[in-house]
Each structure stands twice: as structure tokens, then as C-alpha cells.
Amino acid sequence: MSPSSSTSERPPPPTGGLFDGVLSRGPVGAAVSPSAWLRALLEVEAALALAGADTGAVPPQAARAIAVACEDDAAYDAAALGRAAAAAGNPVVPLVQAVRAAVGGDAAAWVHLGATSQDVLDCAASLLSRRALAMVAADLAAAAGAAAGLARRHRDAPALGRTLLQPALPTSFGLVAAGWAVGLDVVAARVRTVAAGLPVQLGGPVGASAGPARAALAGRLGLAEPLLGWHTLRWPVADTAGCLATASGIVGKIGLDVVLLAQGEVAEVLEGRAGTGGSSSMPHKHNLVAAVSARAGALRAPGLAGTLYAAMAQEHQRAAGAWHAEWETLSDLLRCTGSAASWLRECLEHLRVDAPRMLANLHAAGVPGADGGVPPGVGEQVDRVLAAR
Amino acid sequence: MSPSSSTSERPPPPTGGLFDGVLSRGPVGAAVSPSAWLRALLEVEAALALAGADTGAVPPQAARAIAVACEDDAAYDAAALGRAAAAAGNPVVPLVQAVRAAVGGDAAAWVHLGATSQDVLDCAASLLSRRALAMVAADLAAAAGAAAGLARRHRDAPALGRTLLQPALPTSFGLVAAGWAVGLDVVAARVRTVAAGLPVQLGGPVGASAGPARAALAGRLGLAEPLLGWHTLRWPVADTAGCLATASGIVGKIGLDVVLLAQGEVAEVLEGRAGTGGSSSMPHKHNLVAAVSARAGALRAPGLAGTLYAAMAQEHQRAAGAWHAEWETLSDLLRCTGSAASWLRECLEHLRVDAPRMLANLHAAGVPGADGGVPPGVGEQVDRVLAAR
Amino acid sequence: MSPSSSTSERPPPPTGGLFDGVLSRGPVGAAVSPSAWLRALLEVEAALALAGADTGAVPPQAARAIAVACEDDAAYDAAALGRAAAAAGNPVVPLVQAVRAAVGGDAAAWVHLGATSQDVLDCAASLLSRRALAMVAADLAAAAGAAAGLARRHRDAPALGRTLLQPALPTSFGLVAAGWAVGLDVVAARVRTVAAGLPVQLGGPVGASAGPARAALAGRLGLAEPLLGWHTLRWPVADTAGCLATASGIVGKIGLDVVLLAQGEVAEVLEGRAGTGGSSSMPHKHNLVAAVSARAGALRAPGLAGTLYAAMAQEHQRAAGAWHAEWETLSDLLRCTGSAASWLRECLEHLRVDAPRMLANLHAAGVPGADGGVPPGVGEQVDRVLAAR
Amino acid sequence: MSPSSSTSERPPPPTGGLFDGVLSRGPVGAAVSPSAWLRALLEVEAALALAGADTGAVPPQAARAIAVACEDDAAYDAAALGRAAAAAGNPVVPLVQAVRAAVGGDAAAWVHLGATSQDVLDCAASLLSRRALAMVAADLAAAAGAAAGLARRHRDAPALGRTLLQPALPTSFGLVAAGWAVGLDVVAARVRTVAAGLPVQLGGPVGASAGPARAALAGRLGLAEPLLGWHTLRWPVADTAGCLATASGIVGKIGLDVVLLAQGEVAEVLEGRAGTGGSSSMPHKHNLVAAVSARAGALRAPGLAGTLYAAMAQEHQRAAGAWHAEWETLSDLLRCTGSAASWLRECLEHLRVDAPRMLANLHAAGVPGADGGVPPGVGEQVDRVLAAR
């Protein structure tokens, strides 16, 4: 396989789907696209060569030539590599051939030195995950900020507390929004912790080699250095799955609350900037797209995380299928959670709150204490949450 | 949104991924691609107009104009529709606008008559699923045929039966392969039954309208006519999920058996046509790609099916997120199972069986009856399976 | 292990849990309890002996002695058998020893003839599943009947159709309830079909033996006779998982609708017989227990079904772990779905519908056509559903 | 409901199941049994009263009377409480009545002061989880220690590295076992971190109250004090799910390796103490119970964790079903992972390693370097792992 010479064979743009507008909002979709995977794999091959030069295993000139050849990802044909992967069982085998062809000369022999396919693919997965997790965390944090803003603005807005979806007792919308902020802060922190711990992978064909190369590669890629290879001990993938499913769970819960509060009969919140959000087909109907789409993304997380947990049953020194099952699943889980977080941010940043309606609903419910305003101590709880952020 | 006029904005080819060679083998990937979804949505809009003409609700000339405008899917820009879907919450809203623009004139008013977005998208999902399920069933049936061939050829080949992966008692490889055939036959039948029952959807904005239009549309699309709309009663999606997860389960089991029988220490089967399958990097190593890739696809099915089951909790007359969560999940489940079935077919059609090694392993295990050949009645069981197919 | 002689060692009652009232309603909990498993295993051992007598393989007198010894399940100590199972890897090994001890004399040698542990346990699972599925189907059918009754009584009750939980257009509550009835009818049929097809298992240590014994055992147990053993081809378990997850999905959807319609701000339905259902702690609050508990049971089904699908990856002639993972999971899935169906039946049989409030909500929503009563054709759709039942 | 006066109504022993020997090994089964839940609920009611006394809200004498009444869990009838829970929707409502009856007099009025049912049940869940997680971590750590011991003893034992279950290149069994130790150490640490962070719950009917009572209760129960109530923001449950699924994944991987290494054709390891482990029915067969049972428990974790993640969609201030779906699922996930960890500990503490056979298999595989002993640097990697523990 040689780098493609024709633009007509260029890989397709990362997002071409009919459903991307709804299900792939935000930056994560592009960050885990086939193109992004290709770029990450090339980055790893480049870093491997440069790390080899760092430790004296690779001639510096060869390392530089390899790094240059890996820079132009447009010179590689993702679709053709994908097809060739069918013969080898993974796309790294044909990619290495393509890189060697692009490097040419004596330097070609130094490409992929000491690495196995899984080393390169796992490193690329760690890189992609780290970047995508940072994006997820940023949207979660922005959504948390928006929730905190709602909590501050509506600190003293009485609202009906509902248990089992039945009227229960008074609370405040400030406290509700403060709860959203706390939940989002917690999961943003979880996501950042996992991102910071994602490890490099370098162990050669059976994971037995290590030496200085691994530390050097970790340094080059900015990944953590693990005590040992994790080719078939997939705690880093499981950690990623866990923080994403947890984040999706919190996002989905808040999206659910917004959907319920926006019901016609409740009408306590409305989505979207003032003056926008009308439906063209039913003029009387107000679109509720952001919370709905946030829920849609979040709903996929438990199943995808479950697959990654189940795929931890990996045989001996390289799994016969379970590793391969991770690739798309991990990408999808990052993308779905990222889309959900991005939609929730949009939702909360433009949520319009109808405090008078909240008060009216509280009164109409006829629950005890409905006339007493916000219960004692609730405002202080909101303050404590805001102060702790 | 108008149909795109430039080929440079054409939707990307259905498969551009680095992982498609391994994880999207066979025809299903293309059958559930964004382009296929676009074509199916257009087919439904065309059939809706023609069905309207059938029942006298739409002027025949307008119906023909709409059908013509829906034929050229290349005139529509899937990526732009996908982006526009973000505002509407689903891609049918901008698509209808684009079809109206393409039809033009008075006929444009008859586009999408009496339908809601979910009607069109659910019909397209049924169409896509029916076609993809047929492909899955074909590969399952072909794999079953290959397994039956193995059973016939090795009817009398003694082999070691293993329980808990320990040597147990003698059996025959013919019986093992006959079991594979039975399992594959069962799931192929399950898949065909579900495909045949997939229903049309037509109920308008809240699912309340039906009348002759639904029967006519069912006839036009070749889908079953349900007793009532199933907008939020998702048994057809659950049926699809169930038959695919079951099929993946059987495929994964057989892939697992092949992987285990191909182990270096067991060496009773080998994958691939004679003379092929060598590894370029480790000349001593024989590639085992098909069974491994079959397992990889199959491993994703339980989590994806679980998501579709969980997404059955759909509110009132249209769900606020759970319906949207189906779109990609269903596509992925069809594609993964299709890829797994296609790989298993490849695996079994070219499986090389080392009967002498089977006999040697049986003798080496030192289990009772190892010297007695195939146990009595085993050959007859194989015959019975072959006769029943 | 011998049968216990002291009542103080009797197995505990099937339901002793703090959560059983909420999560194990109805007959299925007892039908899949440890005691029920013990009885079913004994039934299978008895039927195996009698089937052996049918085919001439076992002396009739020995078969009768075995059947007698298997009748008194109270003579066996489930907890002790459970502990002893730890050494053997499954409870059938110590159970067979206990049965032999109970039978005594020459007849003891004919106990368990030709069977392996998995034969007996799988047969017991088929028996238990068939019975529990019949119970699930009965509650689903009763719930469907209740829904049909609601559809009949409220055929012409205008109601607000809601999409994405927003007011959309008019429908009727009769149509909503007819949809519930259709969904429940469909899944009850699915459950009955699976129950009717559950097969016997008899193949001996490596599944290689069959002969007339299997047909005789199938006849004795009233189970289907499969073409071949399915020791590691788990389509019957997958079929069971699929129909239960589908049923739970429909039950959960209806429970969700009830919860939403019962919200204080909507107040279109109320749970419970007139005069009941008050809350002791919050007098203003009305308990909503049945729909909530139905949802709780239903929510567990996707994960449990996913586990059973994933557990289909069973090695060679007996799985090293995946088979064992089925036992409790299958019991739980039957029990959770059974509880959900029983709760939904209770919910729908006593659902109080506030038709005037429905009309008032419809008017208040200000949607087009709100003043026109039930839309044309809706009543006829309800009639069609009722006629088809 | 009053405390039961008769021992004949005593709750059943925690484990009475036929499958407990295989699927509920170790201490966790009892720690999450119905009896343990009852004890934990009573502990929380006692601590609530004492914490109330700490803050001056409850008269000390009343608090002491309540604490005394909560000490004798045998005075409460779990089964009857479970049945009564069906009317209230959870078991805390009847339990509070029973505690009040047991306390009697004026002190009875101080029972459950300021708490809602979910406060008590969530606190009990945190208590149970913290204790069960400690047990899980202890077995994981012991298993890690056993693995480290194997790594030390077999530091220099050459072994065949296998990728995709095919012979690849030499490694050492010491490195394989060191990998197991690292994986187990990582997940034991994850489990301990989650256990340490489990928070108290106290917010009253709609989660709006807090004040000094929550801090005092946290102190009494030894639980963390959260910034805010988490009644419907379920990150603590998700954290628990994640660490358990990750732990099960690692345990399942090691169990899988043991099963594969113990295959008759590989025969590199054997389970059990020398002289034990024979099979009574097939004398030639060696029981492989521990690794198989470890896998069985681990296989259930992904589905159970998926359910807990999906159940995070909790409405408003108390969920209508999703909270209830947690109770048994969480118990099961703790128990299954605990059983798996306990079985793996048993497996690794008594694993018999056949180093000569490993060497023979390596030679027989004919892979490059097979004659060179352990590859360079592998021993040092093992040393590094052992030094870091």
C-alpha cells in the first residue's frame, strides 16, 4: 500500500450522516472520526521514531524523515487502508507499509521499530480519548456553569418539589439548578481524572519488551507511563467507559428534568433564546430539541459501556476479537456522551425560566407550606454550592 | 434547503472508516449507510405520494412528479440535511423542504401529505431493516450450508469432546459442525420471520389518522400492515434487536469454537484457502482473521440490543429522546451482526480441518473410549440434521 | 450428601426479601425460587427414569422407585446442596448423590442414567421458564384486557396528543388505551410462542448421545424435542431473553404513560380503587405505586437480557462460566418481567380516568382542532382493535 | 406493623440458594442479603436519632431508646416488611412504623425525624456498599498478592506468548502473573477509592433540608458528607457500578487465562491444592471450578452495571421507578463481583504451575527465540512490578 496520489481517493469528511446534527453535536464527532484515528495513528508512528531517537535506538535523521512522512495525513487513503485491514485483521499493518513507502530509502527500515500493531492502535486510542474527554469535560463544565448561573439567579424562586412525579413539598428552582451544577461538576472532574491517567502502550509483539522506549514515547505523546503493558488488562478502557457512562447519566437526568418542566401543563421552563424555537409545521408548538437530543445521546451510553466492560475478557497476550470490538464502541461512546454534553450546555445556557409560573404551580398544587416561600435553609444550600465551585 | 447542485457536496461514500474492513464486512454496511437512509427516506416520500394517488387523495400527476423528484437521491445533500436536522430535531423536516423544492409548482403541496416525520423515518427504518435482515439471513444460511458441508465430510471423524475446556469423552467433528449448522439455521429462520413482519408506519402528527392510506402505503413499500400505529410501542424494533442479538450469539459461539480449535496446541482447524493466510511480520504465524472478526462484530450485539430494549420507554405519542437513540443503534446492530455473519461464512466456507490431528488429540487425551472411534449413534444424528435441512 | 432428616434445615421460603413486595409481585417469584429449582431438578430426574422405562432402558420398578424418591422435595436440603455445589461446580452433582441415597438399593444405580449435569439443569430451566412464561403471558393478557376495557369505555373521550411531551393535536384516550392493548397482545403472543418451543436437553457428557431417550423425556416433561442438543448453542435461552425484554419494554412504556398522565399538573388518570391509595405521611399526596413498581421491574430487563445474549459465547461442548452465568440471570429476568406485568395488570385494572380533565387539558392546550372532539376515524380504529382481539 | 414476637417468623438465612455455592462465594453475599439490608436500615434509623441528639434536635433519652430498639434486628420481620412495602412503594415506610411500635411512648415521635424514606434507604445502600466494597477489595488484594507470588516464583520461567490465541513469541510466566497482579492492584485501588467516597443522604421529603443534621449523620455512619443531596443525581451509585464492572472485567480476564492455560492440550497450570480436585464421575478429568466460577460471576457485571447507569435517569426530586430498580441490581452487582473475586483468590492462591510444560510448549511452538530463555528485560519488568507493590 502506498500513499494515495489522487485527491479523488481522499477519505470522506468525518461527518456525513443524516443524523449527525442531532446525535453528533459538538467537537467530539470530528475528534473520533476515521480521519482523526488516521492522524492519531500517524502521530504515534512519528512519536515512536522520535522517542527512538531520544533513546538512541533510531538514527535522528531517520526519525525526522519518519516524522515528516507522518505529518501529511492527507497523503494516506483511509478507505483503502480500511479495506486492506481486512487481510491483516487491523489497519496498522497496511498503514506501516504505507508509511514505509512514504519515507522511502534507508529510513523506512526504522518505521514502527519495536512496536506491535496493538501498541500503535492503543496509543492512538489513548490520544483520541484524552482529547475527546477534554472536550466532554469542557462542555460538562460549561453546562455546570450555566446551571450555577440559573441557581444564582433563581436562588429565591419558590418551586414545587415533585417525588414520583407527584406534588410533594416546596423547594426552590435555585436548589434544583444547584443540584444540576453539583452533578455536572462531579462528572466533569471524573472525566478529567480519567483523561489525565490514560497510559501509553509499548510492549512489542507479546508485550514483553519495555525499557526506556516506553518512557520516551509516553513523554513524546504526553500520556501516562504505566507500570506494565495493558494489552489485555483493559482498565484504562474501563475507566474511560465508566466516566463517560456516569457523565451521560447525569446529563440524561438533567435533560429529563428539563423535558418534564417544559411540558405544556407544567411550562416552567422553555428552551432556546427568546424569539427562536418556533416550529414551522405546528405554529402552536415550541421545539424542544436540545434537551431531547441530549437525552438521545445519553441513552446510548449504558449499552456501549456495557460492551466495553464485557470486552475486557481478553485472551493471553492479545485478544481474538474483544480488542477489535473496542474500536468503534469507544469512539461511539465518546461521541454520544460528547454530543449529549454539548446539547445540554446549549440547553442550559439558553434556558428560559418562568419563575411566576413556578410559583403559580406551587400554589395550585396545594401542598403544605406552599404559601411560605422558599423553605428555610434552602438559599444557604445554594450559596454553599456556588461558593464551593 | 434545496437539492445540492454541485457534485462537490455529494455525500461521502458509505464506508470510509479505517475499521470497516474488519468490522463492516459484507453488504449490510452499505445498506444502512447515511446514503442508504437518504434513499430510503426518499423512497418512502415517493411511495406516500403514489399511495395517496392509489386512494384518490393525491392527484396522480402530482404523485408522479414527486416520485420522479425522489428518484435522484444524488440531488440531495445528506450532510447539509444532517446539519439542518439539528434545528428540527430530525432529518425529515429539512428533507421534506428539499423534496418540495425539487418538485416545485403545485405538486409540491402534495409532498408528505398526511404524514409526520416519524412516519417517514420509521418506514425507512423498516425498509432498511428488512433489506439488511435479508442480507444477514443470507450470510447466516450460507454459513449454515458450509457447516453442513463440514458435517457431511467429517461425519465419521472422531474428535475429542471438551467440557469446561477439559478433555471429556469422544464425539465426532461431524456432530460439532452439525450443531453449528442447526444453530445457524435456527437464527436464520428467526431473522427471516422478523423481516417478514416489519410494519409500515403512518398515523400523522399524533398517530391518530389511518384510513386507507396506511394499507396503500404498506402495499407500495411491501411492508406489513399493523393493526395500529406503533410510534411509541416499539415491538418491531425490539423484534429486530432480539433476532440480531440471538444471531450474533450463535455466530460468536462458532467463532469462539474455531479460535479454540485453531490454537497452536490444538491445531485441529486452520482458516483460509490452502496456500493463503500467512503473516508477513511473523512468518511462523498463521493469520486467524475471519473467526476473530466475526467475534468482534458479535460482541457488540448484546449492548446494542440492550440499548434498543431500554429505548422502548417512549413517552405518549412521540418520545423525547428514546426514538432518536434508536437510529444509529439499529444501524450499528444490523451492521455488526451482518459483518459477523459475513465473516463467519468466509471462515466456514474455507475452514481446513485436520482430521488426523483430531484423532491424535483424542488419543493423547487418554479419555475412556478414545480408541473406539466415533461413539454409536453419532453419525445417525448427523444424518438426521442433514436430512432435515 | 443424603436427604436432610431435620425440618430445621429446610430451605427458606422462596421470598424473604425486603424488596419482594415491590420487585417480586405476582406468581413468578415463587416459580423461579431456589425451592422451585430444586423441585424442577427432581422432576427431571424422575422423568428421566420414567422415560428410561418407556424405552426399555430402565427397569420399571427402579423407575418408579426413583420417581417416588423425587416427589418429596422437602426431603432434600437446598442450602446444603448449594454449598456442596461449590466443589462440583453445579448443584446437580450433589443432588444426584442425594437422590441415589434416597432411592437406595439396586434402583439407585439407575438414577441419572445417560444424563450429564447440564442435561438435567437445562431441562429444569426449560420447565421453569415454560411455567413462568405462562404466568407472565397471563398477566400481560389480563393487562391487555384491562387496556381494551379502557379503550372501549373511553372510545370517544377527546384527549390531548403529546409529542416530545409537548401539546400536539387531539386524539382520544380510547386510542391511547387501544395502543396499549395492541402492544400487550403482541408481547403476550411472543411470550407464548417462546414458551411453546422450549426444548428438552439430553445428550450425555459431551452431548453426543440421543436416541429414543430424548424423545421419551420430551414427552414426559411436555417439552419440545430439538433436532440436536443445544448445550452450547443457546438459542432457547436467547429466545426467552428476547421475548421477556420486549415484554418489559412494552410494560415499561405503558407504566411511563400512566406516570406522566397522573402528574399533578396533568391529573388525567389516578391509580387505585376509589377510596384507596392515600399516603399516610403526606395526606395531600396520592400514592402511585403500581405504575412505578412496574417500571422498576421493567428497567432491569435490558441489562439482564444483554447478559444472557453475551453468555451465548459458550466453549466447545460445555461452557467454562457462561452457562453458570445464565442460572440466576434467567431467574431474575423472568421474575422482574413477571413482577412488572403483574403490577401493570393491577395498575390498568384499577385505573381511574378523568375524562372531563382530559377534555379540559385539551382545550387549555389551545392546539388546532381542540374544539372538534375526537378526530374523524379515531373511534373506528379503536373498534378495529377491539374486534381483532 | 409491630416487631414480630415469634421466632417462627424470623427472616430466612441470607443464602439458601442452590446456586450460592457457585455464584455467591465469599462474604459479600451475606453482606447484601435481605437481613443485612434490614440491619443497615435499622442502623441508619438509630444513627439518625443519635445524630439528632448530637445537634440538639432530639432529646438524648429518646435517641437512646430509639437506638436500643434498632439494635435487635431479629425483632423485625423482614418478610412481613417486604410484603407491607408493596402498599407504600418501599420498605422504609412499614419499618418506621415497626420501629415506632418497638420504641413506644413519647420517644416514638422522634423516630425518623427529618428524614424521608429515600434518605434512610440511600444511607443503608451506602453503608452496605462501603462494607461490601471493602470485602471485594480485600479479595482482589489477596488475589493480587497470590499473583505477585506467582510472578516472583516464576520470574525466570520461559513461556509462550500467544496473540489471537496463536503462538507468537517467548515471554515468561512471571511477566504474565505480574500483569495479573498489576491489574488486580489497580482495580482494588479503584474499589477502595469509591468506598471511601460514598456519601450520606439526608434531605427530607424533597431533598431541600440539610443543616447540621447531615454532617452529624455522616459522622455517626462514617460516610462522606456531600455538598448537596444526591436523591436523583446518582453519581455515587454510578461510581460503585463502574469500579465493580472494572474489577469484574479484570477478574474475568484472569479467569479466562487460567481456563485457557489449563486446557488439556496446554496443561501449563492446574487448579487446586496438590492431591485434590479429582472428578468423581470422570476419573480422568480434573475439576476446574474456581476459574470457571470466577468467570461466571464476572460475566454478570456488565449488564448489571449497564442497568445502574441507565437507572440514572431519575425524575425531579424522586424517581418513579429508576430508584427502585437500583436496590436489587446494586446488591447483585456487589455479590457477583465479590464472588468472582473470592473465587479468583482461591484459584490463584492454589494454582499449580507446570514450568517444564511451559518450556516444552514454547519449544514445540517453534517460534523465533524459543531457545533463548526469557527475553532480555522481562525479569527486570517483573522486579519493577514487585517493588512497586
Side-chain angles (χ1 to χ4, degrees), chain A:
Chain A
M1 169 116 358
S2 63
S4 75
S5 54
S6 151
T7 56
S8 71
E9 296 179 48
R10 288 289 303 278
T15 60
L18 275 174
F19 303 131
D20 286 353
V22 176
L23 301 173
S24 294
R25 185 188 170 87
V28 178
V32 300
S33 71
S35 316
W37 272 99
L38 176 58
R39 278 194 304 275
L41 291 169
L42 289 165
E43 264 185 273
V44 176
E45 291 289 354
L48 186 67
L50 295 170
D54 295 344
T55 61
V58 174
Q61 213 162 341
R64 278 193 298 274
I66 293 169
V68 167
C70 288
E71 248 163 50
D72 182 19
D73 61 287
Y76 300 85
D77 181 344
L81 293 169
R83 285 189 298 273
N90 75 67
V92 177
V93 176
L95 179 67
V96 169
Q97 293 176 319
V99 173
R100 284 194 179 127
V103 171
D106 292 348
W110 301 100
V111 171
H112 198 59
L113 185 78
T116 190
S117 295
Q118 186 171 2
D119 289 335
V120 175
L121 214 148
D122 279 357
C123 282
S126 281
L127 275 184
L128 250 70
S129 295
R130 195 188 55 187
R131 289 165 189 168
L133 289 174
M135 293 166 182
V136 173
D139 273 329
L140 291 170
L150 292 167
R152 192 176 300 110
R153 286 196 295 284
H154 301 283
R155 177 187 186 278
D156 302 313
L160 177 60
R162 297 170 179 94
T163 57
L164 311 179
L165 278 87
Q166 294 291 308
L169 286 175
T171 183
S172 83
F173 183 65
L175 187 64
V176 171
W180 297 348
V182 169
L184 290 165
D185 281 339
V186 166
V187 292
R190 295 277 184 284
V191 169
R192 283 200 198 94
T193 300
V194 170
L198 287 176
V200 81
Q201 183 77 286
L202 186 61
V206 294
S209 60
R214 191 161 63 196
L217 183 61
R220 285 276 173 183
L221 292 173
L223 293 170
E225 195 194 347
L227 201 48
L228 218 62
W230 44 282
H231 295 83
T232 50
L233 294 153
R234 309 302 283 176
W235 51 266
V237 180
D239 284 348
T240 306
C243 76
L244 289 169
T246 305
S248 270
I250 293 293
V251 168
K253 181 272 184 292
I254 300 171
L256 173 57
D257 279 357
V258 169
V259 165
L260 292 173
L261 293 172
Q263 289 174 103
E265 295 84 357
V266 180
E268 300 186 358
V269 305
L270 205 63
E271 230 180 38
R273 299 171 183 82
T276 71
S279 158
S280 59
S281 56
M282 291 192 259
H284 62 285
K285 199 161 182 289
H286 188 82
N287 272 336
L288 191 73
V289 173
V292 165
S293 303
R295 293 185 74 202
L299 274 162
R300 292 199 61 188
L304 293 167
T307 299
L308 291 174
Y309 288 132
M312 294 179 75
Q314 305 209 348
E315 298 93 354
H316 292 315
Q317 281 67 53
R318 182 151 326 129
W323 172 52
H324 310 70
E326 289 177 359
W327 307 337
E328 290 187 345
T329 307
L330 180 63
S331 300
D332 285 348
L333 180 54
L334 287 161
R335 182 173 54 82
C336 291
T337 306
S339 180
S342 173
W343 273 119
L344 187 70
R345 172 187 183 165
E346 165 74 14
C347 171
L348 294 184
E349 286 182 345
H350 302 290
L351 196 73
R352 286 182 277 161
V353 177
D354 189 339
R357 176 70 183 239
M358 286 180 175
L359 190 62
N361 283 347
L362 174 58
H363 286 149
V367 299
D371 293 326
V374 169
V378 167
E380 288 68 29
Q381 288 196 67
V382 174
D383 295 340
R384 195 166 67 148
V385 167
L386 294 176
R389 298 193 75 241

Side-chain angles (χ1 to χ4, degrees), chain B residues 161-165 179 190 205 208 214 227 232-233 239 253 257 309 314-319 381 384, chain C residues 161-165 179 190 205 208 214 227 232-233 239 253 257 309 314-319 381 384:
Chain B
R162 298 168 179 96
T163 58
L164 310 179
L165 279 85
R190 296 276 184 284
R214 191 162 61 196
L227 201 50
T232 49
L233 293 153
D239 284 347
K253 181 273 183 292
D257 280 356
Y309 288 132
Q314 305 209 349
E315 298 94 355
H316 292 314
Q317 282 67 53
R318 182 149 327 128
Q381 289 196 69
R384 194 165 67 147
Chain C
R162 298 170 178 94
T163 57
L164 310 180
L165 280 86
R190 296 276 185 283
R214 191 161 62 196
L227 203 47
T232 50
L233 293 153
D239 284 348
K253 181 271 184 294
D257 280 357
Y309 288 132
Q314 305 209 350
E315 300 93 353
H316 292 315
Q317 281 68 53
R318 180 149 328 128
Q381 289 196 67
R384 195 166 67 149

Side-chain angles (χ1 to χ4, degrees), chain D residues 57-69:
Chain D
V58 173
Q61 212 163 343
R64 279 192 299 273
I66 294 169
V68 166

Side-chain angles (χ1 to χ4, degrees), chain D residues 207-235:
Chain D
S209 60
R214 192 161 62 196
L217 183 60
R220 285 275 173 184
L221 293 172
L223 293 170
E225 195 194 348
L227 201 48
L228 219 61
W230 45 281
H231 296 82
T232 50
L233 293 153
R234 309 301 283 175
W235 52 265

Side-chain angles (χ1 to χ4, degrees), chain B residues 78-156:
Chain B
L81 292 169
R83 286 189 297 274
N90 74 67
V92 176
V93 175
L95 179 66
V96 169
Q97 292 176 321
V99 173
R100 286 194 178 125
V103 171
D106 291 347
W110 300 99
V111 171
H112 199 59
L113 185 77
T116 192
S117 295
Q118 187 171 2
D119 289 334
V120 176
L121 214 148
D122 279 356
C123 283
S126 282
L127 275 185
L128 250 69
S129 295
R130 196 190 52 188
R131 291 166 189 168
L133 290 173
M135 294 166 181
V136 173
D139 273 330
L140 292 170
L150 292 166
R152 191 176 300 111
R153 286 196 294 284
H154 301 282
R155 178 188 185 277
D156 302 312

Side-chain angles (χ1 to χ4, degrees), chain D residues 101-370:
Chain D
V103 171
D106 292 348
W110 300 100
V111 170
H112 199 58
L113 184 79
T116 190
S117 295
Q118 188 172 0
D119 289 335
V120 175
L121 213 149
D122 280 357
C123 283
S126 282
L127 276 185
L128 250 69
S129 296
R130 195 189 54 186
R131 291 166 188 167
L133 290 173
M135 294 165 181
V136 173
D139 273 328
L140 292 170
L150 291 168
R152 192 176 299 110
R153 286 196 294 284
H154 301 282
R155 178 187 185 278
D156 300 312
L160 177 60
R162 298 170 178 94
T163 59
L164 311 179
L165 279 86
Q166 294 292 309
L169 286 174
T171 182
S172 83
F173 183 65
L175 187 64
V176 170
W180 296 349
V182 169
L184 290 165
D185 282 338
V186 166
V187 293
R190 295 277 185 283
V191 169
R192 284 200 199 95
T193 300
V194 169
L198 286 176
V200 82
Q201 183 78 286
L202 186 60
V206 294
S209 60
R214 192 161 62 196
L217 183 60
R220 285 275 173 184
L221 293 172
L223 293 170
E225 195 194 348
L227 201 48
L228 219 61
W230 45 281
H231 296 82
T232 50
L233 293 153
R234 309 301 283 175
W235 52 265
V237 180
D239 284 349
T240 307
C243 76
L244 290 168
T246 304
S248 270
I250 293 294
V251 168
K253 181 272 184 295
I254 300 170
L256 174 56
D257 280 356
V258 169
V259 165
L260 292 173
L261 293 172
Q263 289 174 101
E265 295 85 357
V266 180
E268 300 185 359
V269 305
L270 204 63
E271 231 180 39
R273 298 171 183 82
T276 72
S279 159
S280 59
S281 57
M282 290 193 261
H284 62 285
K285 200 162 181 291
H286 188 82
N287 272 336
L288 190 73
V289 174
V292 165
S293 303
R295 293 186 75 202
L299 274 163
R300 291 200 62 186
L304 294 167
T307 299
L308 291 174
Y309 288 132
M312 294 178 76
Q314 305 208 350
E315 299 93 353
H316 293 313
Q317 281 67 54
R318 182 150 328 128
W323 172 51
H324 311 68
E326 289 177 0
W327 307 338
E328 290 187 346
T329 309
L330 180 62
S331 301
D332 286 348
L333 180 53
L334 287 162
R335 182 173 54 82
C336 291
T337 306
S339 180
S342 173
W343 273 119
L344 187 69
R345 172 185 183 165
E346 166 75 14
C347 171
L348 295 184
E349 285 182 348
H350 303 289
L351 197 72
R352 287 182 277 161
V353 177
D354 189 340
R357 176 70 184 239
M358 286 181 175
L359 189 63
N361 283 346
L362 174 58
H363 285 149
V367 300

